[in-house]
Amino acid sequence: LRSDSASPSHAELQLAGRKLEAAGFQVGVRLIERYTRERPRFADTLEIIKFICKDFWFEIYRKQIDKLQTNNRGVYMLQDNKHRLLSRCSPSVERQANAKQICTLHAKFPSGLIRGALHGLGVAASVGVEVDRLTSCQFTIKIQT
């Protein structure tokens, strides 16, 4: 994003979000390969999701995901109530009006991390992110069959 623009355009935010998500995806693929190198294969998708919530997230952020929910139909919701990246995202005074947009933009990178980790483990999924408060986010994983 340009620093001379007090309010980035919708197109600029979308482009930046895609780039952050793609970077997160690449990092997620590489990290999951490293973290699971000497681990036995996972039995099912739920076991993979639990690994991402506990071990993978801890290796990156030094904390586990706060809440995991599933509808048992291939949709998982991961809640991080105090995400480190978002807790450091304090927009300048000029950008207070766009604070939620900016935090959602920052949350695209961990969204990409999750999607990349799943891809590295052979699970095709889409990952969405929603910022509830300025430090809390919820990731929605939809397993593609």
Side-chain angles (χ1 to χ4, degrees):
L1 295 176
R2 297 183 319 235
S3 60
D4 61 339
S5 174
S7 180
S9 72
H10 183 68
E12 288 175 320
L13 286 172
Q14 281 189 323
L15 178 62
R18 282 194 301 270
K19 286 181 177 181
L20 283 169
E21 201 274 340
F25 178 85
Q26 293 297 321
V27 172
V29 169
R30 291 183 180 128
L31 287 178
I32 203 69
E33 184 180 316
R34 181 183 301 164
Y35 297 154
T36 59
R37 186 175 301 144
E38 296 176 13
R39 192 182 190 295
R41 281 262 193 230
F42 293 99
D44 60 3
T45 305
L46 181 59
E47 194 176 327
I48 290 172
I49 299 291
K50 286 180 181 179
F51 176 81
I52 288 172
C53 290
K54 294 178 181 180
D55 302 320
F56 183 73
W57 210 252
F58 184 82
E59 287 294 327
I60 298 168
Y61 297 110
R62 296 293 176 229
K63 70 180 285 295
Q64 294 181 358
I65 286 286
D66 295 309
K67 185 177 180 183
L68 166 64
Q69 290 180 301
T70 181
N71 68 357
N72 294 317
R73 293 188 199 118
V75 177
Y76 300 89
M77 294 170 61
L78 288 59
Q79 179 80 34
D80 191 340
N81 294 326
K82 191 164 174 153
H83 194 278
R84 283 182 129 180
L85 192 60
L86 297 181
S87 64
R88 294 182 181 160
C89 172
S90 55
S92 62
V93 176
E94 308 88 52
R95 293 190 178 202
Q96 286 295 326
N98 297 349
K100 192 169 181 178
Q101 278 185 321
I102 299 298
C103 286
T104 300
L105 178 66
H106 285 278
K108 294 289 186 177
F109 183 80
S111 172
L113 281 174
I114 294 169
R115 194 171 67 85
L118 290 168
H119 178 80
L121 294 171
V123 177
S126 63
V127 180
V129 64
E130 184 178 315
V131 175
D132 301 329
R133 298 181 312 270
L134 294 186
T135 59
S136 174
C137 60
Q138 180 173 312
F139 302 96
T140 302
I141 302 170
K142 294 180 182 166
I143 305 299
Q144 298 167 353
T145 54

